[in-house]
Amino acid sequence: MVGNLPSATVELSPEFLEVDHSDDARYWASVEAVVDLADRRGRDRAGIPLLIGLAVKHPQWPVRAAAVRLLAAHHRDDATAAAAVAAATHDPVDWVAFTALKVVTEHRIRAAVPDMIRISGWPSNFARDDYARKPVGCGAAFTKRALLAIFGTRDPQELRRLEDEYFTDMRARVAAHARRPRLNDDVVLVPAGPFLAGTASSAGGPFRMKQGDNPLRAETLPAFHIDRTTVTNARYAEFLDKASDTGEYDHPDQPEERRHHQPAHWHDARFNEPGMPVVGLDWYDAWAFANWAGGTLPSELQWEKAARGTDGRAYPWGDSFEPDRVNYVERSYGRPVADLDELEALLVTTTPDDTPPHPVLASDSLPTGASPYGVLQMSGNVWELTRTNYYTGEDMDPFFKGRHPMEFMNRKEAFHVLRGGTWTSPPVCLTTFYRGKDLITDLHNEVGFRCVYEAQ
């Protein structure tokens, strides 16, 4: 919530940052001086951004706590100020969070209810005599007191009714979102059950590309639907036209500069024909499209099962590489490559305008390369984004909003799994088990995606 406050980016002037750490007495005296200055300048509405900036960004927690008190004292009826007080209930320093909970109680700031419910759980149930719970700490006690003050009752049934009433609109929006229909009928059912994932081989052959991070094993998945083809420019254009500027479908961590979701290669004739896979997107763009389309990005395991079926085959069509079934480096460049040195020598001939002249094929081309379920181009043409973190195997959970990629390009949390290989790939990257990776904010003409949907 803090990241969405309009004043969270206020730059604090030096006079608010001058805190003396030489000894305890000087420290507290200097903190008091900063708070007094904040009080004088923050009393009228023009001072709200300053107080929010102090509550969110000041490095000394006593100043943050004081700013929360001042916001509640002077501006509790302002929606932005109330939101900042609510956000402070999650401050990492306990006394800032407790201060926020105390002023929420004192002034009955209803905007903080969702934040307190995140702490207590919903329904809260703590007014029930028969409800077993862990021993209460300060935070839980402050939270309970605040909720009881806001709702004005200790009766458990009445408290539950009021909590339900408070969340009626929110629950309706969530339910409507969950019921959003799938916007694509050109999908394939992947049945529930086990399949062979990974490979027993770690050899990279003459291309010296590592393959030992996906060991052979049995995995079991519930049934799901998957797009028969990668998302095309035509489908993505519909998303841009109807939903890209609304923000309704965006990931909460999405960078501000990507809010319009425009593909980087939208005006490149080599990549923008309607039936071609959309490329030049980052992970957040694909996530937003999938959300709009009523689905999600596939997990790495969902992608792999859809690509290979249950028998552990190396390619979607079988165990032997067959170049006529796939768009890869030799097809797109029209030249053979024997090893890594030749591959690299060929790839550096690539230009942004005409080499190679026809890198990608339409998403529904090469039907003989289909997977056992009839999913097309799970090998080659474009790498495919997944929702899986490359290093942890868990769903991506990014937290990089407002930061430049240089700040997180070495963080493991910033890399998702790519699957399937692309038009620049040699055969070793085209297997059903090869794992690629990419930075969450990168935009490549070699990368596209498809969506998965719950089976009805």
Side-chain angles (χ1 to χ4, degrees):
M1 187 171 186
V2 172
N4 294 328
L5 293 173
S7 300
T9 57
V10 166
E11 291 300 323
L12 301 177
S13 59
E15 60 191 329
F16 288 101
L17 297 172
E18 293 174 357
V19 175
D20 188 342
H21 293 268
S22 58
D23 61 41
D24 290 351
R26 288 187 175 91
Y27 174 80
W28 289 108
S30 60
V31 164
E32 184 176 355
V34 170
V35 173
D36 287 344
L37 180 62
D39 190 12
R40 292 196 301 274
R41 297 189 183 178
R43 285 178 174 266
D44 58 26
R45 288 185 58 82
I48 293 176
L50 168 64
L51 293 180
I52 293 178
L54 292 170
V56 170
K57 296 184 63 175
H58 201 281
Q60 302 303 315
W61 72 260
V63 177
R64 297 201 302 276
V68 169
R69 289 195 298 271
L70 294 173
L71 281 167
H74 301 318
H75 307 294
R76 56 185 174 273
D77 295 328
D78 179 88
T80 306
V85 172
T89 64
H90 303 294
D91 191 282
V93 176
D94 49 9
W95 278 113
V96 181
F98 297 166
T99 298
L101 290 167
K102 290 174 74 174
V103 300
V104 164
T105 304
E106 180 183 356
H107 300 290
R108 299 189 178 186
I109 299 176
R110 289 179 63 85
V113 169
D115 297 86
M116 292 185 294
I117 290 295
R118 292 190 187 103
I119 299 170
S120 69
W122 180 76
S124 61
N125 287 320
F126 51 56
R128 286 172 45 191
D129 292 334
D130 61 342
Y131 183 64
R133 55 189 181 272
K134 293 181 179 180
V136 175
C138 293
F142 281 128
T143 301
K144 175 180 178 180
R145 182 166 170 261
L147 283 171
L148 293 177
I150 288 173
F151 287 120
T153 181
R154 296 185 65 90
D155 179 81
Q157 292 184 340
E158 179 66 2
L159 182 62
R160 176 63 186 275
R161 185 189 70 78
L162 291 170
E163 286 180 354
D164 287 349
E165 183 180 276
Y166 183 94
F167 287 103
T168 295
D169 291 343
M170 185 183 300
R171 293 170 70 194
R173 291 196 300 270
V174 171
H177 182 276
R179 291 193 299 268
R180 192 169 64 253
R182 187 182 73 224
L183 298 183
N184 184 31
D185 292 328
D186 188 12
V187 297
V188 170
L189 175 66
V190 178
F195 75 104
L196 285 177
T199 178
S201 172
S202 61
F207 294 97
R208 305 194 297 278
M209 294 186 179
K210 179 182 176 182
Q211 297 190 76
D213 57 350
N214 191 12
L216 187 66
R217 66 201 183 281
E219 296 280 1
T220 300
L221 294 176
F224 60 93
H225 288 99
I226 189 168
D227 288 334
R228 188 177 66 92
T229 71
T230 47
V231 173
T232 63
N233 287 313
R235 282 187 71 196
Y236 198 81
E238 184 179 2
F239 164 66
L240 289 180
D241 180 59
K242 294 182 176 179
S244 71
D245 287 334
T246 67
E248 179 180 355
Y249 305 100
D250 295 351
H251 192 281
D253 190 61
Q254 178 181 292
E256 180 66 20
E257 63 270 18
R258 293 300 299 161
R259 67 187 184 277
H260 299 303
H261 303 291
Q262 182 83 1
H265 303 290
W266 200 235
H267 299 293
D268 188 332
R270 295 179 299 167
F271 299 100
N272 68 0
E273 292 182 12
M276 288 179 175
V278 63
V279 296
L281 309 171
D282 69 10
W283 187 89
Y284 294 102
D285 296 323
W287 194 96
F289 176 95
N291 191 21
W292 169 77
T296 66
L297 292 174
S299 70
E300 180 177 18
L301 288 176
Q302 285 176 320
W303 188 97
E304 186 167 333
K305 183 173 183 181
R308 74 192 312 185
T310 60
D311 58 8
R313 61 185 60 192
Y315 299 96
W317 54 84
D319 283 320
S320 299
F321 181 67
E322 299 182 36
D324 291 342
R325 297 178 185 259
V326 59
N327 183 33
Y328 71 120
V329 63
E330 294 189 8
R331 177 191 288 266
S332 58
Y333 285 85
R335 290 167 52 186
V337 290
D339 55 31
L340 183 60
D341 291 338
E342 288 189 10
L343 174 64
E344 292 175 345
L346 180 59
L347 294 182
V348 297
T349 68
T350 306
T351 65
D353 48 6
D354 59 5
T355 304
H358 305 290
V360 295
L361 303 179
S363 290
D364 61 356
S365 59
L366 301 179
T368 60
S371 80
Y373 302 112
V375 189
L376 298 184
Q377 292 186 350
M378 299 294 276
S379 181
N381 211 34
V382 289
W383 286 108
E384 297 187 23
L385 293 148
T386 74
R387 66 174 189 264
T388 302
N389 180 281
Y390 180 82
Y391 293 98
T392 68
E394 303 294 329
D395 281 359
M396 293 288 291
D397 187 20
F399 53 94
F400 304 117
K401 192 168 186 175
R403 299 166 65 186
H404 190 277
M406 287 292 291
E407 298 180 60
F408 54 80
M409 64 184 303
N410 294 317
R411 297 289 297 273
K412 291 183 177 180
E413 297 89 346
F415 287 88
H416 58 82
V417 173
L418 293 175
R419 286 302 201 105
T422 186
W423 54 271
T424 62
S425 295
V428 67
C429 298
L430 303 172
T431 61
T432 55
F433 47 79
Y434 186 86
R435 303 177 75 235
K437 72 176 188 293
D438 200 15
L439 185 66
I440 194 169
T441 52
D442 277 359
L443 309 166
H444 295 296
N445 58 25
E446 300 164 291
V447 178
F449 71 101
R450 71 182 81 218
C451 305
V452 296
Y453 316 87
E454 291 185 2
Q456 301 300 319

